[in-house]
């Protein structure tokens, strides 16, 4: 671990699925808890290896997990066996660690540790990042001592916001680049692990159909799948469009802050970062999910006048080109949209969530009572 160990301190165990959408808010809470003198350990699945070098925990434990919603009878049976095994592993681990509380961040790897904690009468808290509650959290919700949410989805729950990374808070200090009619428009395009392909298919041909004058006013920064990189870069070069393409941007928050307009998916972390940094966006929710969580997330920003939604079926080169043409004709209103996004951001969500966790854990002396 990069973070120094905290010893002889109360312990809080975090449990999160091994993807950025779950681990980023868990990481932010971990940093806040450590600032208050609390020791943190993490339970996740084998996907956590990609994040383990930077996660601020004394230890990271990989445990067996499975989902009972697998395909077919065999898939469900295999998932159930893995789930039972994971609960048994977590029960032994938690008995040894004796944490003051266990905090779940969603995803099926959250179920074994939180369920084991309830069986051991260890206080438990869930944090739901999306505007609709996911299946793992729904399954656990009646068993836990507290539920905090990233969006105001239910008056029974504590709305704290979605904790964002320190790099996002730093980027949020940057003012939006100046905008003027006829000037340069900095466009950022990304889709995450489940959206880069469609962005690579739709955005370049949309820009190709713009007038030469409008193409000359664009600077495009775009996340592109490695297999699409040569094609997309060649297209922008052919069009004479200034571009910066890569499969992954480690400094994405800074690139968000340096942009005038963002086109992307609407995962909970993305929506939270757009609001905290305060930038306008065109959001294309990932279709087909059972919970339609990204659609619900996007509606929150759109209802606040801070984003536009283009459903994937309507996200075509022609439709996007028409919208970009309108924006380039009058880009100045993007400043007001950015301000509305900023007003919706909750920059102290990690501190608010830490207060909830510490109260449930019986550590009221460490609560800041954050407004």
């Amino acid at each position: 671990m990069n973070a120094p160990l905290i010893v002889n301190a109360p312990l809080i165990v975090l449990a999160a699925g091994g993807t950025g959408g779950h681990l980023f808010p868990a990481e932010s809470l971990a940093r806040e808890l450590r600032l208050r003198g609390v020791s943190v350990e993490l339970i996740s699945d084998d996907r956590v290896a990609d994040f383990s070098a930077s996660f601020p925990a004394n230890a990271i434990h990989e445990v067996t997990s499975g989902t009972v919603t697998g395909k077919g009878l065999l898939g469900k049976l295999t998932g159930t066996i893995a789930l039972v095994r994971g609960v048994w592993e977590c029960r032994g681990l938690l008995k040894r660690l004796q944490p003051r509380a266990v905090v779940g961040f969603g995803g099926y790897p959250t179920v074994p540790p939180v369920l084991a904690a309830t069986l051991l009468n260890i206080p438990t808290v869930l944090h739901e990042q999306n505007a609709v509650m996911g299946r793992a959290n729904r399954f656990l919700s009646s068993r836990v001592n507290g539920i905090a949410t990233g969006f105001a989805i239910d008056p029974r729950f504590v709305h704290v916001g979605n904790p964002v990374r320190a790099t996002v808070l730093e980027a949020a200090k940057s003012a939006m680049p100046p905008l003027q009619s006829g000037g340069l428009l900095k466009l950022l395009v990304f889709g995450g692990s489940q959206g880069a392909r469609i962005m690579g298919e739709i955005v370049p041909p949309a820009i190709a159909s713009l007038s030469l004058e409008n193409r000359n006013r664009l600077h495009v920064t775009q996340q592109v799948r490695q297999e699409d990189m040569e094609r997309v870069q060649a297209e922008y070069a052919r069009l004479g469009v200034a571009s910066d393409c890569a499969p992954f941007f480690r400094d994405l928050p800074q690139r968000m802050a340096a942009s005038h307009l963002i086109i992307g998916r609407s995962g909970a972390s993305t929506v939270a970062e757009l609001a905290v940094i305060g930038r306008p966006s065109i959001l294309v929710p990932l279709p087909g999910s059972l919970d339609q969580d990204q659609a619900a997330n996007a509606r929150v920003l759109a209802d606040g006048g801070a984003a536009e939604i283009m459903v994937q079926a309507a996200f075509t080169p022609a439709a996007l080109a028409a919208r970009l043409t309108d924006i380039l004709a009058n880009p100045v209103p993007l400043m007001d949209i950015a301000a509305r996004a900023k007003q919706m951001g909750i920059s102290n969500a990690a501190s608010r969530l830490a207060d909830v966790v510490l109260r449930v854990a019986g550590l009221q002396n460490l609560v800041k009572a954050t407004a």
Side-chain angles (χ1 to χ4, degrees):
M1 289 307 118
N2 291 335
L5 297 178
I6 295 181
V7 296
N8 300 321
L11 171 66
I12 302 291
V13 169
L14 309 184
T19 63
H22 298 303
L23 285 170
F24 288 155
E27 175 187 333
S28 299
L29 175 63
R31 294 188 186 282
E32 178 66 25
L33 290 173
R34 287 168 67 89
L35 287 174
R36 302 196 197 186
V38 175
S39 178
V40 174
E41 299 196 16
L42 173 69
I43 297 176
S44 188
D45 61 8
D46 56 6
R47 296 172 296 173
V48 76
D50 292 337
F51 302 87
S52 59
S54 61
F55 200 97
N58 283 16
I60 296 178
H61 310 276
E62 295 181 18
V63 299
T64 304
S65 59
T67 173
V68 298
T69 59
K71 292 183 178 179
L73 180 60
L74 180 60
K76 290 179 172 59
L77 179 60
T78 301
T80 300
I81 292 172
L83 176 61
V84 172
R85 181 181 171 189
V87 172
W88 183 256
E89 290 176 5
C90 290
R91 184 176 182 275
L93 176 62
L94 294 176
K95 285 183 72 174
R96 177 171 62 83
L97 295 177
Q98 292 292 303
R100 299 294 294 267
V102 173
V103 186
F105 282 85
Y108 63 85
T110 294
V111 176
V114 174
L115 197 54
T118 64
L119 296 173
L120 294 170
N121 293 317
I122 297 170
T124 49
V125 176
L126 295 178
H127 181 268
E128 173 56 57
Q129 291 92 62
N130 291 294
V132 293
M133 185 167 282
R135 283 164 285 171
N137 279 350
R138 284 203 305 271
F139 172 74
L140 294 166
S141 61
S142 63
R143 298 168 168 85
V144 299
N145 301 104
I147 298 176
T149 61
F151 296 90
I153 61 177
D154 192 310
R156 297 172 299 170
F157 307 149
V158 184
H159 176 214
V160 298
N162 276 315
V164 296
R165 295 166 287 166
T167 52
V168 175
L169 296 175
E170 186 62 30
K173 298 176 184 178
S174 301
M176 185 167 167
L179 258 179
Q180 56 185 7
S181 296
L184 182 69
L185 183 77
K186 296 181 179 180
L187 178 65
L188 172 63
V189 183
F190 62 91
S193 60
Q194 300 185 79
R197 178 176 182 175
I198 192 169
M199 297 301 169
E201 292 173 345
I202 299 299
V203 178
I207 291 174
S209 65
L210 298 177
S211 68
L212 176 62
E213 178 186 359
N214 280 340
R215 292 201 303 268
N216 288 339
R217 290 175 52 203
L218 282 177
H219 183 282
V220 181
T221 300
Q222 184 166 345
Q223 178 197 12
V224 181
R225 297 190 313 163
Q226 189 63 56
E227 53 265 46
D228 297 331
M229 184 68 65
E230 185 177 349
R231 172 181 60 80
V232 172
Q233 287 181 319
E235 178 70 355
Y236 286 141
R238 182 185 70 81
L239 296 170
V241 173
S243 66
D244 183 5
C245 300
F248 180 76
F249 294 112
R250 294 193 178 278
D251 59 344
L252 186 59
Q254 287 73 27
R255 291 175 183 268
M256 292 171 71
S259 301
H260 296 116
L261 177 65
I262 293 156
I263 302 175
R265 292 298 199 191
S266 50
S269 291
T270 296
V271 169
E273 292 169 4
L274 285 169
V276 169
I277 296 172
R279 294 297 181 269
S281 56
I282 296 173
L283 299 176
V284 186
L286 180 70
S289 65
L290 292 177
D291 302 316
Q292 288 296 298
D293 51 324
Q294 288 205 8
N297 299 341
R299 278 197 300 273
V300 173
L301 280 188
D303 289 348
E308 298 179 34
I309 299 174
M310 293 186 74
V311 298
Q312 187 160 309
F315 185 58
T316 64
L320 180 59
R323 189 67 195 102
L324 290 174
T325 298
D326 290 343
I327 291 170
L328 285 161
N330 185 21
V332 177
L334 292 178
M335 300 296 289
D336 290 334
I337 299 172
R340 287 195 287 272
K342 188 83 168 179
Q343 289 171 354
M344 297 179 71
I346 302 178
S347 60
N348 64 342
S351 184
R352 290 156 60 114
L353 177 56
D355 284 350
V356 173
V357 170
L358 293 170
R359 286 193 185 98
V360 170
L363 298 170
Q364 284 86 350
N365 59 309
L366 299 177
V367 171
K368 286 185 176 179
T370 310

